[in-house]
């Protein structure tokens, strides 16, 4: 019996599926339709990224950033600013994180650095 038939048989019996991934507040769950279980098992990261409407690279960057969006400006010395942007802490959705990229911290958005 193929995996697809086996999973479909479980779904017909009322079994539902979900996938979990790390987020800023611990594990986060997303629904996993029975017809997508095999695709998820082949590449969970790619599947989860697509679920959120972001690229695999963006999804992995969301994790690497500790779920924070950092200021897009530079320090007076020319180094990247490492302040978190206003409202950019503990972003629990990769798509929201991507939407906030390019924002500025409270110092740079208020022109406090010249």
């Amino acid at each position: 019996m193929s995996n697809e038939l086996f999973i479909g048989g479980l779904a017909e019996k009322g079994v539902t599926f979900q996938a979990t991934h790390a987020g800023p507040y611990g594990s986060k769950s997303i629904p996993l339709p029975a017809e997508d279980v095999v695709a998820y098992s082949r590449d969970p990261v790619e599947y989860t990224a697509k679920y959120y409407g972001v690229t695999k690279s963006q999804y992995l960057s969301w994790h690497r950033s500790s779920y924070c969006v950092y200021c897009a400006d530079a320090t007076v010395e020319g180094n990247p600013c490492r302040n978190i942007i206003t409202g950019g802490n503990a972003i629990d959705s990769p798509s929201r994180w991507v939407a906030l990229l390019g924002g500025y911290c409270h110092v740079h958005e208020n022109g406090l650095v010249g």
Side-chain angles (χ1 to χ4, degrees):
M1 176 184 296
S2 73
N3 288 336
E4 289 84 358
L5 286 175
F6 177 74
I7 293 165
L10 290 174
E12 287 175 6
K13 292 180 170 103
V15 174
T16 59
F17 303 92
Q18 67 178 11
T20 58
H21 62 84
Y25 303 108
S27 292
K28 188 170 170 118
S29 297
I30 61 171
L32 186 58
E35 61 271 12
D36 291 348
V37 170
V38 173
Y40 176 85
S41 71
R42 287 186 187 122
D43 192 341
V45 174
E46 180 72 30
Y47 182 90
T48 306
K50 283 183 182 177
Y51 173 83
Y52 285 107
V54 300
T55 67
K56 188 174 183 176
S57 176
Q58 290 168 327
Y59 177 78
L60 292 171
S61 293
W62 172 65
H63 284 285
R64 281 192 301 271
S65 75
S66 298
Y67 319 108
C68 297
V69 178
Y70 294 94
C71 183
D73 214 330
T75 65
V76 174
E77 294 83 23
N79 298 316
C81 178
R82 293 303 296 158
N83 289 329
I84 296 172
I85 71 165
T86 303
N89 191 33
I91 305 300
D92 74 344
S93 163
S95 54
R96 174 94 175 110
W97 181 87
V98 168
L100 291 172
L101 292 175
Y104 299 102
C105 68
H106 71 284
V107 173
H108 289 108
E109 73 183 359
N110 291 313
L112 300 176
V113 176

